[in-house]
Amino acid sequence: MEPFAFTPIGIIRTPFIDKFGTPRQGRMVPAAQARVEFVDSAPAELWLRGLEGFSHCWLIGVFHEHMHEPAPPLVHPPRMGGGAVGVFATRSPHRPNPVALTLAEIVGVEGRTLHVAGIDLLDGTPILDIKPFLPEADRADEARSGWVDAHPWPGLPVRITDSATARLDRIYELSPPPVPRDQFERLMVETLAIDPRAVADRAKIIEDGQPRRFWLRLYDVDVGFWYQGAAIIIEELRFALRSPLYERFESGNSLQDD
Amino acid sequence: MEPFAFTPIGIIRTPFIDKFGTPRQGRMVPAAQARVEFVDSAPAELWLRGLEGFSHCWLIGVFHEHMHEPAPPLVHPPRMGGGAVGVFATRSPHRPNPVALTLAEIVGVEGRTLHVAGIDLLDGTPILDIKPFLPEADRADEARSGWVDAHPWPGLPVRITDSATARLDRIYELSPPPVPRDQFERLMVETLAIDPRAVADRAKIIEDGQPRRFWLRLYDVDVGFWYQGAAIIIEELRFALRSPLYERFESGNSLQDD
């Protein structure tokens, strides 16, 4: 069959700069706020008129980082911890056509910008379409969900150490992330509680006899954490290695309390 | 931005041969059964493995008949009966990227074929992706739905006359549609109850002093009906004008009782 070509109407800006830690589904991280930025030529204010009356919308996007990767017919879903199912029984981004579908909470429409929350998309994801959520058409109240029913997401307890809290104070003094501080904390906790590790890393939480440090990037901040049994401890925060803020603040120790 | 190209994984075969009467959303016509037929090269049996455990799935397709039509930024939704809203506050098929999203009930997986119900897609619609419905990610229980809340679909009473019933008997004797007879009756009734008329035709139900006859095509059958106040009367059934069955049966009067 002949291919169909779709030109993005814009991109979405989200806290998730790396694949690692990007939630595997929408609504898993309610604090993940984002905004759709339309291409300049788009009549965005007209397109969006009336959408502010809805509480939720669908975002249809492109898993652009998986666009030219192979899409094996069987997938090992992370929370299954081993078993394999067909790709159409999963929401894996490795798909024959890597189309993303996310149910987003509408936070507000502001001129040409749509603000949403509960997002599971990588920063910069191209958006093809936006549709209102219609309960009459989109809600299956009596749904049965196969292997997923038997494999709920974990809800790991997440603790933030005092030193990480002090670091966060300092980060908010120097160059605050674009969300209020309490929301940033919720974002860290909600993102980690569903366990971002790949299946292969589950057993590798000790390295050279020490707890292995993992890094989650949110906006311009790297969040360092380790596993203590089934719990997650956030111990370190710094401006992200690949962010201009790293050069500016991290090298000269200005993140330390004076 | 650069376009993204997607090659359909198959097409969906549905009862809806014409745009007229094709439901404007999924789940409006539960009796609308359909099947996804995959392209020959597709590893369909692997792709679908495990999907049979889910009760519902998302079908992402292409409104192929609207692919190269203009998509005005404002839309007049049929059930609003006049007002206009932005295209992203509607499910109109006339969209900047005409991507279709339908929540389908899974009837069963049979080898390489996925059987679904509650479909609002035109016969032959190209399918790009299939995803399982996940209540945790896809269900907004507390949803508010803007202008839609104030404009529910009508539920018109639909009556089938005795002569239409006799015609249906004869059609099922000669060349039955691919669904059981009682399901075909439900399909007619459910499709008409939500009123397929365009807004512009609402006032035009009398023609030359007579009730105007409308035709709805379902599979190879043309269903003739008219409006009696707020009710619909199905009065005529025949093999569809553009179907090979028309030549075979309708010209020689074989649809009449012997």
Side-chain angles (χ1 to χ4, degrees), chain A residues 79 95 99 130-131 136, chain B residues 79 95 99 130-131 136:
Chain A
R79 60 172 143 169
R95 317 183 70 77
V99 175
I130 300 168
K131 297 180 195 283
E136 58 194 14
Chain B
R79 60 173 143 169
R95 317 183 70 78
V99 175
I130 300 168
K131 297 181 193 283
E136 59 195 13

Side-chain angles (χ1 to χ4, degrees), chain B residues 150-161:
Chain B
H151 298 87
W153 288 115
L156 304 187
V158 178
R159 194 164 68 77
I160 307 176
T161 62

Side-chain angles (χ1 to χ4, degrees), chain A residues 62-74:
Chain A
V62 182
F63 291 121
H64 60 303
E65 301 225 342
H66 301 280
M67 192 67 200
H68 301 290
E69 289 180 359
L74 294 177

Side-chain angles (χ1 to χ4, degrees), chain A residues 215-236:
Chain A
W215 292 98
L216 164 72
R217 182 164 173 185
L218 295 172
Y219 300 111
D220 272 322
V221 177
D222 276 339
V223 177
F225 63 96
W226 48 274
Y227 290 83
Q228 191 177 57
I232 284 180
I233 315 294
I234 297 175
E235 206 190 31
E236 175 79 14

Side-chain angles (χ1 to χ4, degrees), chain A:
Chain A
M1 295 186 71
E2 289 304 300
F4 289 88
F6 299 105
T7 302
I9 55 172
I11 60 166
I12 189 163
R13 305 308 311 261
T14 83
F16 306 111
I17 314 299
D18 290 333
K19 283 184 206 169
F20 180 77
T22 301
R24 290 171 173 118
Q25 284 163 211
R27 295 175 72 70
M28 298 288 100
V29 180
Q33 214 161 316
R35 63 177 190 279
V36 178
E37 290 180 353
F38 293 88
V39 295
D40 288 343
S41 58
E45 282 172 292
L46 294 179
W47 277 349
L48 294 172
R49 188 182 292 173
L51 189 61
E52 72 286 347
F54 292 79
S55 57
H56 296 77
C57 66
W58 297 102
L59 300 177
I60 296 179
V62 182
F63 291 121
H64 60 303
E65 301 225 342
H66 301 280
M67 192 67 200
H68 301 290
E69 289 180 359
L74 294 177
V75 169
H76 297 266
R79 60 172 143 169
M80 250 181 127
V85 290
V87 62
F88 292 158
T90 81
R91 299 293 275 258
S92 165
H94 306 270
R95 317 183 70 77
N97 287 307
V99 175
L101 174 69
T102 297
L103 179 59
E105 184 196 333
I106 297 176
V107 173
V109 175
E110 203 178 19
R112 296 175 52 79
T113 306
L114 171 63
H115 296 275
V116 288
I119 295 303
D120 63 343
L121 297 169
L122 210 55
D123 186 52
T125 296
I127 300 297
L128 300 180
D129 197 8
I130 300 168
K131 297 180 195 283
F133 176 84
L134 302 184
E136 58 194 14
D138 297 332
R139 196 158 69 192
D141 288 326
E142 67 293 18
R144 188 167 43 85
S145 38
W147 64 269
V148 165
D149 285 335
H151 297 87
W153 289 114
L156 304 186
V158 179
R159 193 165 68 77
I160 306 176
T161 62
D162 290 346
S163 80
T165 300
R167 287 269 184 169
L168 191 57
D169 292 342
R170 196 74 180 122
I171 284 170
Y172 266 82
E173 276 169 46
L174 294 172
S175 177
V179 288
R181 198 199 135 117
D182 61 325
Q183 192 183 336
F184 188 87
E185 280 190 41
R186 282 205 308 281
L187 180 62
M188 290 194 298
V189 170
E190 291 171 1
T191 303
L192 292 178
I194 47 175
D195 198 353
R197 274 177 305 177
V199 176
D201 279 332
R202 297 264 166 91
K204 301 180 193 157
I205 61 172
I206 302 287
E207 213 168 42
D208 301 330
Q210 297 290 320
R212 177 175 165 197
R213 175 73 49 89
F214 291 83
W215 292 98
L216 164 72
R217 182 164 173 185
L218 295 172
Y219 300 111
D220 272 322
V221 177
D222 276 339
V223 177
F225 63 96
W226 48 274
Y227 290 83
Q228 191 177 57
I232 284 180
I233 315 294
I234 297 175
E235 206 190 31
E236 175 79 14
L237 290 167
R238 64 177 189 207
F239 288 111
L241 208 53
R242 287 161 296 131
S243 152
L245 297 172
Y246 181 83
E247 285 310 314
R248 188 156 150 221
F249 294 117
E250 295 291 346
S251 40
N253 259 346
S254 53
L255 202 60
Q256 309 302 328
D257 286 316
D258 317 85

Side-chain angles (χ1 to χ4, degrees), chain B residues 135-198:
Chain B
E136 59 195 13
D138 296 332
R139 196 159 68 193
D141 288 326
E142 68 292 19
R144 187 166 43 83
S145 36
W147 65 269
V148 165
D149 285 335
H151 298 87
W153 288 115
L156 304 187
V158 178
R159 194 164 68 77
I160 307 176
T161 62
D162 290 345
S163 79
T165 300
R167 288 268 184 171
L168 191 56
D169 292 342
R170 196 77 179 119
I171 284 169
Y172 265 81
E173 274 169 47
L174 294 172
S175 178
V179 289
R181 198 198 136 118
D182 61 324
Q183 192 183 334
F184 188 88
E185 279 189 40
R186 282 204 309 280
L187 180 62
M188 289 194 298
V189 170
E190 291 171 1
T191 302
L192 292 178
I194 48 176
D195 198 353
R197 273 177 305 177

